[in-house]
Amino acid sequence: MRRDRLRRPRDGRHRGQLVGGRFTGSFEALGEVAYSGASVSASVLDVESGEQLLSIDDRITLPTASVGKVLLLVELSARMTAGRISDLTVLDRAPVDEVGDSGIWQHLQVPALPVADLAVLVASTSDNLATNVLLGQIGLEAVRKRAESLGLSRTALLDLVRDERGPDDAPQLSLGSTAELSWLFAALSKGEIVDPVTSQRVIGWLGLNMDLSMVASAFGLDPLAHRFADHGLSLVNKTGTDTGLRSEAGLLRGSRGAVAYAVTVRFTDGSLPTRLRVLEAMRTLGSELLEHVH
């Protein structure tokens, strides 16, 4: 079945393509990580022209951890635009929603929040508790249908966030291809995801993301305050982190243009130097993205 195929991560064959000799440093850095045994996928698109600037196994499906939460935000925003849910609708947290790791709501005393505030928590700190509460209201099936309606066949949010995954649970929180993720961010920037209002609301939420530890570490932005242009740069991004996994998708706009990008690296996280090599390769991509738009 189609959904079963989505659930099975596909290893890349370490093929890539450069256009016009650009992003050679990224190609080499990510290639070295791939040849060391990691699965690497990357895609960079010029937003205005749609030209593909970098492609490395960009159509394979890999785990993307919290990057898949973007699909939840899209569905929530679409419902708000259609008047099916108010941004002030208050949702309660329940023991079944409780989960650790990323996010701050688990450390707060407030028992309930409006859905718009929950979206801000998901976008800014990848809040796992807020994610589960929103999914309890919206449902995974609705998120799946929305992704399919957008033409996404290799990108999906598969499950709630869980501290531990059992044999009956989806093996990953989300899966995705970097080709589809870079397209998604480019389409969001142009107001083409559902409609302009829905797209712009999602862009506004994601502009609050505090995680600039991967590709975006090269942009020199304040992790806690970069919603507005800084030295002519504007960033919208979403990251995903798990053991042996780093993934990021985003949109970078500068004085010379805008790019939509996505990169995922799945690796054996056996030592700190190995992890740091992955992060350095992702930062190399960020440096060349910055050079391209600024």
Side-chain angles (χ1 to χ4, degrees):
M1 294 177 62
R2 184 179 183 188
R3 291 176 64 187
D4 292 333
R5 291 198 301 270
L6 276 173
R7 290 173 181 269
R8 292 195 294 270
R10 304 173 190 175
D11 291 322
R13 299 176 183 175
H14 311 317
R15 296 178 297 184
Q17 178 180 353
L18 288 168
V19 178
R22 291 165 288 189
F23 295 94
T24 55
S26 303
F27 192 83
E28 292 174 0
L30 291 169
E32 288 180 5
V33 171
Y35 284 121
S36 71
S39 297
V40 176
S41 178
S43 174
V44 178
L45 301 176
D46 182 279
V47 171
E48 299 306 321
S49 69
E51 178 187 6
Q52 185 150 43
L53 304 175
L54 174 67
S55 169
I56 300 175
D57 280 336
D58 63 346
R59 297 192 178 277
I60 65 170
T61 303
L62 289 173
T64 52
S66 291
V67 173
K69 295 173 184 177
V70 173
L71 300 176
L72 171 62
L73 295 177
V74 168
E75 175 59 19
L76 173 61
S77 183
R79 292 186 178 205
M80 292 168 66
T81 302
R84 297 175 58 192
I85 189 170
S86 166
D87 56 352
L88 296 178
T89 299
V90 176
L91 300 181
D92 297 313
R93 58 196 282 183
V96 69
D97 302 315
E98 298 291 340
V99 66
D101 292 332
S102 64
I104 61 172
W105 195 13
Q106 62 184 305
H107 305 295
L108 304 179
Q109 297 301 311
V110 61
L113 286 168
V115 294
D117 290 354
L118 296 180
V120 167
L121 289 177
V122 172
S124 62
T125 69
S126 201
D127 198 292
N128 287 334
L129 175 55
T131 298
N132 284 354
V133 171
L134 283 174
L135 280 172
Q137 174 71 20
I138 292 174
L140 278 166
E141 184 66 13
V143 177
R144 181 190 65 79
K145 288 181 178 179
R146 178 66 64 182
E148 290 187 350
S149 75
L150 297 173
L152 301 175
S153 61
R154 295 181 173 91
T155 300
L157 182 63
L158 300 177
D159 199 6
L160 301 169
V161 185
R162 303 178 187 275
D163 287 322
E164 296 182 3
R165 296 198 168 275
D168 296 327
D169 301 323
Q172 307 290 341
L173 174 62
S174 74
L175 297 174
S177 81
T178 55
E180 291 187 345
L181 288 168
S182 60
W183 171 85
L184 177 63
F185 273 78
L188 281 168
S189 73
K190 293 185 285 187
E192 297 174 350
I193 297 302
V194 183
D195 54 51
V197 173
T198 296
S199 295
Q200 189 55 48
R201 187 183 290 114
V202 175
I203 287 286
W205 288 333
L206 293 174
L208 300 170
N209 185 27
M210 298 179 184
D211 185 6
L212 308 188
S213 64
M214 303 180 208
V215 176
S217 66
F219 303 154
L221 299 173
D222 183 345
L224 304 179
H226 59 271
R227 187 173 187 182
F228 303 105
D230 184 359
H231 288 300
L233 289 177
S234 297
L235 171 69
V236 172
N237 74 323
K238 184 71 189 78
T239 56
T241 300
D242 203 347
T243 302
L245 178 68
R246 295 296 185 274
S247 184
E248 179 174 342
L251 171 74
L252 181 67
R253 189 177 298 276
S255 58
R256 297 168 54 189
V259 289
Y261 66 89
V263 58
T264 299
V265 182
R266 184 173 61 173
F267 59 100
T268 301
D269 197 357
S271 67
L272 181 59
T274 298
R275 182 188 298 173
L276 292 176
R277 280 194 295 271
V278 170
L279 291 173
E280 184 58 32
M282 297 179 80
R283 182 181 174 89
T284 297
L285 174 59
S287 296
E288 293 197 324
L289 291 173
L290 178 62
E291 182 180 355
H292 185 78
V293 304
H294 189 63

